[in-house]
Amino acid sequence: NIDSLLKADNKNGCSSSILMDQYYVLPCCSPTRASLLSGKYPLHHGIHSYIQDYSTVGLPLDEETLPNMLKRSKGGGQSRQGDGYETRAVGKWHLGHAKWEYTPTFRGFDSFFGFYRGGEDYYTHSAKNAYDMRYDKQPMCGRNCSKIVDRGGRRENGGERDELGFGKEQYSTHLFTKESL
């Protein structure tokens, strides 16, 4: 149970957490992300290097992810499904995008705001002449649900367009922070 990671401090009643004091990342991003989400080393999940933009691979679909485990846990926050936690992903995904099943809302996240590929310009939100800033508003958000946040600063919402202050020439980190809050 994820809640067991937090322990009450007997001295002042505050909660504390586990100290992670060793080296826990890999030399590039995709294997580290896959390991954090699966709890397994690359030897066991198969992502050994970064995933190329043109690649058809992703975190294997039979790998259970941390957000799926959090949804099943007891004592979580206010979830649409009842007992578990709500799970949101914001920022860089980089664990596969060739099939919808590789994308965040098919891997246990309730929503996603960010980019699927390995990198982008932080102001234009493009890489190699391809624009990649997405809003996936619900679980299993695929072809008819995943929206491109347009360059004019708006994202689609159920057929209507709402001005949300997102878009081209806005620094990605600020957009991710705004979406997270």
Side-chain angles (χ1 to χ4, degrees), residues 36-54:
L36 285 170
L37 284 180
S38 70
K40 297 179 180 179
Y41 283 109
L43 172 67
H44 301 290
H45 60 60
I47 304 294
H48 302 285
S49 185
Y50 68 96
I51 297 174
Q52 300 280 344
D53 291 344
Y54 54 82

Side-chain angles (χ1 to χ4, degrees), residues 108-169:
F109 289 102
D110 291 319
S111 68
F112 173 74
F113 176 73
F115 53 101
Y116 288 163
R117 300 177 338 158
E120 67 173 16
D121 181 282
Y122 278 83
Y123 287 98
T124 66
H125 317 300
S126 298
K128 299 179 184 170
N129 297 320
Y131 185 80
D132 186 21
M133 183 64 82
R134 296 186 164 273
Y135 175 57
D136 300 351
K137 63 184 177 181
Q138 65 191 37
M140 310 285 268
C141 191
R143 180 189 247 11
N144 296 320
C145 173
S146 181
K147 303 297 180 190
I148 298 287
V149 178
D150 79 17
R151 294 175 188 239
R154 294 177 285 190
R155 65 182 182 195
E156 295 178 25
N157 185 7
E160 299 176 11
R161 301 178 78 83
D162 296 324
E163 189 64 44
L164 295 172
F166 299 108
K168 188 176 179 182
E169 304 303 326

Side-chain angles (χ1 to χ4, degrees), residues 74-99:
K74 302 289 182 207
Q78 302 295 323
S79 174
R80 283 180 261 147
Q81 298 179 345
D83 289 328
Y85 288 83
E86 283 190 25
T87 56
R88 311 276 180 215
V90 176
K92 174 180 169 179
W93 175 245
H94 207 199
L95 285 174
H97 62 276
K99 296 194 279 188

